[in-house]
Amino acid sequence: MAEISLPASLQDVEPVRSVRTPAQLDYTFTAGDATTRFLNGITQKKIIGQQATPQSKVYVPPRGADPELGAATPIEVEVAQVHRHPLVLRGQRRLLRRSSGPGSAASALISSVAPTCRSCTSSRRSPPTRCGSACGSKTVAERRRRHRSHPPSIKWFRPGGEPDDPNVHIPGRTTARAWAPPWVGGVAPTEALIRLRSEGGQA
Amino acid sequence: MRDIAVISFAQTPMRRAVPELNEVEMLMPAIHGAMEQVDMTIDDIGFTCSGSTDYLAGVGFSFVSTLDGVGPWPPIQESHVEMDGAWALYEAWVKLQLGEIDTALIYSYAKSSPGDLPMVLTRQLDPITVAPLWADSVSLAALQARALLDAGKATEADLAEVAARSRRSALDNPNAQLAWDRPADDLLADGYHIAPLRKSDCAPITDGAAIILAAGGVARSRSIDRLDPRHRPHRADPPPRRIRDLTVSESTRTAAANAGVADGPVDGRAAAPFTTRAHPARRDRPRRRRHDPARRAMRSGASR
């Protein structure tokens, strides 16, 4: 850094080395039409995706535009109930029924639809890891009531660590997960398999 | 210089607030409108450039989600400037001049209503010496107006005349938020907003969007405006408050000189958020042709 020669009147003044300038701005956030409809679905315990045409992709959560078509997404698709998902429905029931086992199917579905959908599994306030064990202390009716009256919070969500369920089908997708390429060999890797591979072992 | 034409223009209705739509939902109908006028799709566009400021809506990277409105997948060639639409237009113009592309989609939008706009704009100031003062945009414009009045370069009647003329021309644009026909004397009877500025001297806070399609090598019959190269060079005055005379805009003086109108009679106007920056007593403003809805709207979309 170059030497700065100060005028005589400033010779003995303590130099300013840093300043702290706090700033806060308040905004009124506009969710918009598409996201408002999605959030209304969440209050009904439904994950509602949207698509622009019956053939195009379903977006969850919808943000208002389909980036492939540059078009609005007026068609609503309830993601959890289309295309006969016995596993998904079972998972949802287990979730309501104090599923305490590792790997709740509902959370697997939700994590494989889109990251932000995890909010659905995480409105329970108690901190520990996965929704299944965390939601056990409330009655079903009470949880439903809470779900209706509060927007979901993601504050206490922690990934459970279980692998995604390869059998979940997302409408409009040919791969098992929304953001990943198809599995090598068509088989979803388990956590044990990934650990084995990363340590140089053979599957 | 390559001949560049504006072949299509669209804008949304400018409103004080659009609370029911997010930015991409507000923007999309206008993009579709501009494309349909010339029967084009995103596949026909060589380059897409947008101008917006995330601070206005308070959503970081909000320009990424608004890009979804043009259909950017599979990936397109695009760019964003944290500036106004005029600057986005300039970037596209440069690319068109280089011959890399033949068509460009330029859009500019703003949702200025979610925050307290004059306060939000303080974040554009020097973060160490000026921003902590929270000197809002209207107050700074009032400082400039005071300097202008004290220097004798303008009177309040001059400013009122600019306001009256601008709002009267807005009557031609059904999308304008504020349009009325009142004589300048009438405006002078209004009280001050922030002295010496009246509300009529300030731009209304606006939510809206404007879209331009530009192309090179287009027949004149198909173009609605030409982008004259003399108007294109983009200049800015230095933002620090103490290093320039507030009553002089060197950038507009240079631009006017380059356009060949520095000394002649000026039949155009400056697009500016405050009357102080567009009043007729100064000859150092950029030349704008009178019927130029495209450029005017690109500025009003950002509503500074």
Side-chain angles (χ1 to χ4, degrees):
Chain A
M1 199 172 149
E3 281 296 313
I4 300 169
S5 55
L6 293 171
S9 59
L10 292 177
Q11 284 298 336
D12 298 326
V13 176
E14 185 189 358
V16 177
R17 300 198 183 280
S18 70
V19 289
R20 194 172 282 257
T21 57
Q24 177 178 335
L25 294 168
D26 294 323
Y27 291 91
T28 307
F29 176 70
T30 305
D33 174 62
T35 309
T36 298
R37 286 187 283 137
F38 169 78
L39 291 173
N40 284 337
I42 289 291
T43 64
Q44 307 288 314
K45 293 178 71 76
K46 291 176 179 175
I47 301 170
I48 297 177
Q50 290 175 23
Q51 58 186 163
T53 69
Q55 289 77 36
S56 59
K57 285 179 180 168
V58 178
Y59 292 91
V60 184
R63 295 297 189 209
D66 179 334
E68 287 188 344
L69 302 173
T73 53
I75 304 174
E76 295 187 356
V77 181
E78 188 177 346
V79 179
Q81 291 187 6
V82 293
H83 292 260
R84 300 180 302 284
H85 282 160
L87 188 90
V88 171
L89 295 175
R90 189 170 66 240
Q92 284 192 327
R93 280 200 295 274
R94 280 171 59 203
L95 191 65
L96 295 176
R97 251 200 349 248
R98 304 178 53 175
S99 156
S100 57
S104 145
S107 78
L109 161 82
I110 288 161
S111 66
S112 62
V113 171
T116 39
C117 284
R118 288 169 182 166
S119 57
C120 189
T121 64
S122 57
S123 63
R124 290 91 202 169
R125 290 304 170 100
S126 35
T129 53
R130 64 180 74 83
C131 54
S133 60
C135 66
S137 60
K138 302 286 182 189
T139 65
V140 169
E142 188 180 348
R143 281 200 303 277
R144 281 182 177 152
R145 198 164 54 244
R146 284 174 53 120
H147 224 107
R148 263 199 300 276
S149 57
H150 291 278
S153 163
I154 60 170
K155 188 173 180 182
W156 301 114
F157 179 80
R158 298 288 184 279
E162 64 268 27
D164 287 340
D165 192 320
N167 295 317
V168 173
H169 172 73
I170 301 165
R173 298 282 186 180
T174 52
T175 55
R177 294 200 304 177
W179 59 83
W183 312 121
V184 177
V187 181
T190 61
E191 187 179 343
L193 184 63
I194 292 170
R195 284 181 188 282
L196 186 68
R197 283 180 187 159
S198 66
E199 288 160 9
Q202 288 296 312
Chain B
M1 282 282 182
R2 196 179 181 198
D3 204 13
I4 310 293
V6 173
I7 56 172
S8 177
F9 171 75
Q11 68 180 156
T12 65
M14 301 292 150
R15 286 165 50 190
R16 174 61 182 81
V18 182
E20 70 280 9
L21 301 176
N22 64 23
E23 289 174 308
V24 66
E25 290 168 341
M26 178 182 76
L27 175 71
M28 242 183 328
I31 290 180
H32 294 168
M35 302 275 231
E36 280 163 13
Q37 283 175 32
V38 285
D39 201 18
M40 290 171 95
T41 69
I42 189 67
D43 297 331
D44 304 315
I45 304 295
F47 178 60
T48 301
C49 195
S50 55
S52 70
T53 301
D54 287 351
Y55 270 97
L56 299 185
V59 180
F61 287 90
S62 65
F63 69 90
V64 177
S65 38
T66 52
L67 185 63
D68 283 351
V70 307
W73 186 268
I76 59 171
Q77 194 186 147
E78 60 85 25
S79 174
H80 172 261
V81 295
E82 194 76 6
M83 281 278 275
D84 57 15
W87 184 241
L89 180 62
Y90 180 60
E91 181 175 343
W93 182 82
V94 170
K95 266 203 153 55
L96 285 161
Q97 285 298 339
L98 288 172
E100 281 184 23
I101 50 165
D102 294 322
T103 49
L105 167 68
I106 301 106
Y107 63 88
S108 169
Y109 66 90
K111 285 200 77 164
S112 311
S113 62
D116 180 352
L117 183 66
M119 283 296 138
V120 170
L121 293 179
T122 61
R123 301 302 94 191
Q124 296 182 327
L125 302 170
D126 180 306
I128 294 177
T129 58
V130 188
L133 302 173
W134 292 89
D136 66 86
S137 52
V138 185
S139 300
L140 288 175
L143 270 180
Q144 186 177 32
R146 176 57 66 200
L148 211 53
L149 298 178
D150 289 351
K153 293 191 177 184
T155 65
E156 291 187 26
D158 289 335
L159 302 185
E161 186 54 50
V162 174
R165 192 189 62 202
S166 301
R167 297 287 173 245
R168 201 157 47 236
S169 348
L171 289 167
D172 297 338
N173 184 353
N175 291 321
Q177 188 198 148
L178 281 187
W180 31 252
D181 190 0
R182 288 171 64 193
D185 296 344
D186 196 19
L187 299 183
L188 286 172
D190 291 349
Y192 289 125
H193 175 43
I194 295 179
L197 293 180
R198 296 172 170 79
K199 282 214 162 172
S200 56
D201 290 316
C202 309
I205 296 170
T206 305
D207 288 2
I211 287 86
I212 279 181
L213 274 173
V218 179
R220 279 187 180 267
S221 58
R222 280 195 61 202
S223 63
I224 58 177
D225 194 9
R226 318 299 290 187
L227 294 181
D228 190 326
R230 291 183 309 166
H231 301 155
R232 283 299 87 213
H234 208 101
R235 290 184 169 75
D237 287 317
R241 299 289 135 186
R242 293 189 57 197
I243 66 172
R244 75 177 177 98
D245 180 354
L246 284 178
T247 67
V248 175
S249 173
E250 200 56 49
S251 65
T252 42
R253 189 200 299 280
T254 315
N258 287 355
V261 297
D263 301 316
V266 178
D267 63 346
R269 71 193 61 182
F274 297 102
T275 52
T276 46
R277 301 180 192 165
H279 76 86
R282 292 157 76 204
R283 284 185 169 176
D284 49 5
R285 64 199 188 284
R287 179 189 164 108
R288 303 270 171 167
R289 270 170 290 165
R290 197 175 292 277
H291 299 293
D292 194 354
R295 285 199 199 101
R296 229 165 32 218
M298 291 299 275
R299 285 305 298 252
S300 64
S303 136
R304 297 287 152 76

